[in-house]
């Protein structure tokens, strides 16, 4: 079983670093090859505690028409054509991804890559345990079905989709595949302004698809306290995917809204803290509360001296701390009983002091 699936089945949080094609810019910055840069990013992700890394497998010619317009923030990425942008980052093929998959296995982190064409969907089948279907292919039902037939769990992003489209995409998967689907809330806006994150959609997805695992694919810029990701987790996102870089100041593509290793550490630390304070849903006294419960609750106390043989009346009693004697909830049971001994004023009453 994949590491990610194992964590999901154990109810643990999963963080996936969307490396995408950001290694091209890291390679230029560090004066190393693209493959060395990709491996460097894998190592840094693993060192930060991230559970999986995801790349993007495509060729510009099979992904976008030559006149396809940009839909991203042009002040961050100035390339005006999708085809031209993708052409800059499409040099990897099966051999490179095979090497990366093996390298990830050696590093102890899970390898994934989003397939954007039939060829990559085929060669990736033997390199990864989970398929990722992009929001951009949510209504590409022939391609969804092609990947579903591979018989693997599926991460399905829902950016810019309505309920009917999500339902039909799921139906396309279920026609051929009964493996786990992780449904990812996503906003298809690069970057996503915080006011557009719309994290309550996670709650809606959990309510509408109770048999699925719900996740979140994040495109907001990292915030100081990781509140976006922590809120997504708190609302029910067990799997979070976020773009990953080693330098958020690099221009272009996906660096400007990506997390870096320190962001990832902060996210994982924050989620661990939330998990620690969640506890469980049982309505009962905690073991750690027992001493305080015993001493902070009250017992029935003699308000005056009670002589042996006296039958107890309510006006003889009051209630004070600690709660180591007869509880006030048993007041009615005590009324009318006979004192077996002299009981001084301000005594914590015990059942052994009474007969009858």
């Amino acid at each position: 079983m994949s590491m990610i699936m194992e964590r999901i089945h154990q109810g643990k949080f999963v963080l996936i670093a969307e490396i995408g094609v950001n290694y091209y810019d890291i390679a230029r910055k560090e004066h190393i090859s693209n493959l060395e840069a990709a491996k460097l990013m894998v190592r840094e992700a693993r060192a930060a505690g991230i559970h999986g890394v995801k790349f993007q497998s495509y060729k510009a010619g099979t992904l976008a028409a030559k006149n396809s317009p940009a839909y991203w923030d042009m002040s961050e990425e100035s390339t005006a054509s999708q085809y031209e942008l993708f052409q800059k980052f499409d040099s990897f093929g099966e051999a490179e991804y095979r090497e990366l998959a093996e390298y990830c296995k050696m590093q102890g982190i899970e390898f994934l890559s989003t397939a954007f064409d039939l060829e990559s969907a085929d060669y990736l089948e033997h390199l990864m345990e989970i398929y990722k279907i992009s929001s951009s292919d949510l209504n590409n039902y022939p391609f969804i079905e092609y990947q579903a037939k591979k018989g693997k769990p599926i991460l399905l992003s829902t950016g810019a989709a309505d309920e009917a489209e999500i339902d039909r995409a799921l139906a396309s998967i279920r026609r051929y595949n009964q493996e786990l689907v992780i449904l990812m809330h996503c906003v298809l806006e690069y970057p996503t302004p915080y006011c557009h994150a719309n994290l309550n959609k996670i709650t809606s997805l959990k309510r509408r698809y109770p048999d699925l695992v719900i996740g979140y694919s994040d495109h907001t810029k990292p915030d100081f306290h990781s509140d976006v990701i922590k809120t997504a987790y708190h609302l029910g996102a067990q799997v979070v995917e976020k773009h990953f870089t080693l330098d958020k100041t690099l221009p272009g593509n996906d660096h400007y809204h990506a997390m870096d290793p320190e962001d990832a550490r902060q996210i994982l630390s924050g989620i661990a803290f939330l998990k620690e304070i969640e506890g469980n849903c049982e309505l009962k006294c905690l073991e750690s509360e027992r001493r305080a419960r015993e001493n902070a609750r009250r017992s029935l106390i003699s308000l005056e001296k009670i002589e042996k043989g006296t039958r107890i009346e309510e006006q003889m009693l009051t209630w004070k701390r600690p709660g180591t004697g007869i509880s006030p909830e048993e007041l009615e049971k005590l009324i009318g009983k006979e004192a077996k001994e002299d009981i001084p004023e301000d005594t914590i009453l015990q059942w052994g002091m009474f007969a009858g």
Side-chain angles (χ1 to χ4, degrees):
M1 181 184 291
S2 80
M3 292 178 284
I4 288 174
M5 291 302 297
E6 188 171 350
R7 290 188 67 86
I8 288 173
H9 288 305
Q10 292 172 351
K12 296 179 179 178
F13 176 71
V14 174
L15 182 61
I16 298 172
E18 166 74 90
I19 292 176
V21 292
N22 277 348
Y23 53 87
Y24 284 87
D25 299 316
I26 299 299
R28 280 191 291 273
K29 178 189 174 187
E30 300 295 333
H31 306 290
I32 56 179
S33 72
N34 292 332
L35 194 57
E36 288 173 321
K39 290 179 178 180
L40 172 62
M41 295 186 76
V42 167
R43 290 196 302 276
E44 290 290 341
R46 179 66 184 89
I50 292 169
H51 310 112
V53 290
K54 192 176 76 63
F55 296 87
Q56 295 175 3
S57 298
Y58 60 74
K59 295 297 178 183
T62 61
L63 180 55
K66 290 184 179 178
N67 64 350
S68 53
Y71 58 91
W72 44 78
D73 185 343
M74 296 293 289
S75 68
E76 299 281 4
E77 169 54 66
S78 59
T79 309
S81 156
Q82 292 182 56
Y83 176 80
E84 290 177 11
L85 180 68
F86 296 142
Q87 201 172 36
K88 297 177 184 178
F89 305 111
D90 72 349
S91 67
F92 277 15
E94 179 176 0
E96 290 81 5
Y97 288 117
R98 184 175 299 280
E99 187 168 341
L100 282 174
E102 288 298 320
Y103 189 74
C104 287
K105 188 180 295 185
M106 289 170 49
Q107 292 294 316
I109 190 169
E110 186 152 351
F111 168 85
L112 302 92
S113 188
T114 303
F116 285 95
D117 52 48
L118 299 179
E119 181 184 356
S120 59
D122 284 342
Y123 69 67
L124 287 169
E125 179 179 1
H126 305 292
L127 305 183
M128 60 188 194
E129 299 296 326
I130 305 170
Y131 271 86
K132 168 64 192 293
I133 297 175
S134 161
S135 295
S136 61
D137 279 318
L138 189 82
N139 67 340
N140 188 353
Y141 305 118
F143 192 37
I144 288 176
E145 291 177 3
Y146 190 85
Q147 294 177 86
K149 289 175 183 177
K150 305 294 186 182
K152 296 180 186 287
I154 290 175
L155 284 156
L156 177 65
S157 280
T158 62
D162 58 33
E163 288 181 0
E165 290 174 321
I166 297 171
D167 287 345
R168 187 169 173 191
L170 289 170
S172 296
I173 291 171
R174 289 298 182 231
R175 192 170 294 121
Y176 303 100
N177 185 321
Q178 299 304 313
E179 296 295 324
L180 183 66
V181 173
I182 302 99
L183 201 57
M184 308 288 283
H185 166 49
C186 173
V187 176
L188 213 58
E189 189 174 1
Y190 301 86
T192 302
Y194 299 127
C195 60
H196 291 180
N198 208 7
L199 295 180
N200 277 329
K201 268 192 176 180
I202 294 167
T203 305
S204 299
L205 291 172
K206 282 181 68 68
R207 187 183 304 117
R208 185 172 176 84
Y209 307 102
D211 57 328
L212 305 183
V213 171
I214 304 303
Y216 175 49
S217 183
D218 181 49
H219 297 134
T220 65
K221 292 185 177 182
D223 59 280
F224 186 73
H225 294 293
S226 304
D227 287 334
V228 172
I229 302 301
K230 289 190 291 187
T231 300
Y233 168 78
H234 187 68
L235 290 171
Q238 187 180 351
V239 179
V240 167
E241 171 188 272
K242 187 166 180 61
H243 284 269
F244 183 68
T245 184
L246 303 185
D247 185 351
K248 291 184 288 187
T249 68
L250 286 173
N253 210 42
D254 292 322
H255 300 283
Y256 57 91
H257 59 86
M259 64 179 174
D260 63 16
E262 190 51 43
D263 293 321
R265 290 184 181 93
Q266 181 168 293
I267 289 167
L268 290 166
S269 174
I271 298 296
F273 178 68
L274 289 180
K275 190 70 177 174
E276 182 180 359
I277 64 177
E278 278 177 1
N280 58 55
C281 299
E282 295 180 275
L283 298 176
K284 68 177 188 179
C285 175
L286 299 174
E287 282 302 317
S288 59
E289 295 178 296
R290 291 200 179 278
R291 185 163 176 258
R293 170 189 167 112
E294 186 174 86
N295 287 284
R297 289 197 173 185
R298 304 204 205 190
S299 300
L300 292 174
I301 305 290
S302 53
L303 193 57
E304 58 190 47
K305 179 181 178 182
I306 300 173
E307 294 183 353
K308 180 178 178 180
T310 302
R311 291 203 175 273
I312 302 303
E313 298 177 6
E314 186 171 350
Q315 63 266 26
M316 299 175 183
L317 309 174
T318 187
W319 47 84
K320 296 182 183 180
R321 297 183 181 190
T324 53
I326 300 172
S327 170
E329 66 184 298
E330 299 184 293
L331 173 63
E332 294 300 323
K333 294 180 183 178
L334 182 58
I335 301 302
K337 291 195 180 293
E338 183 180 311
K340 292 165 54 177
E341 58 190 72
D342 289 338
I343 301 171
E345 179 187 348
D346 203 40
T347 297
I348 301 170
L349 302 180
Q350 309 290 340
W351 283 115
M353 299 174 179
F354 304 97

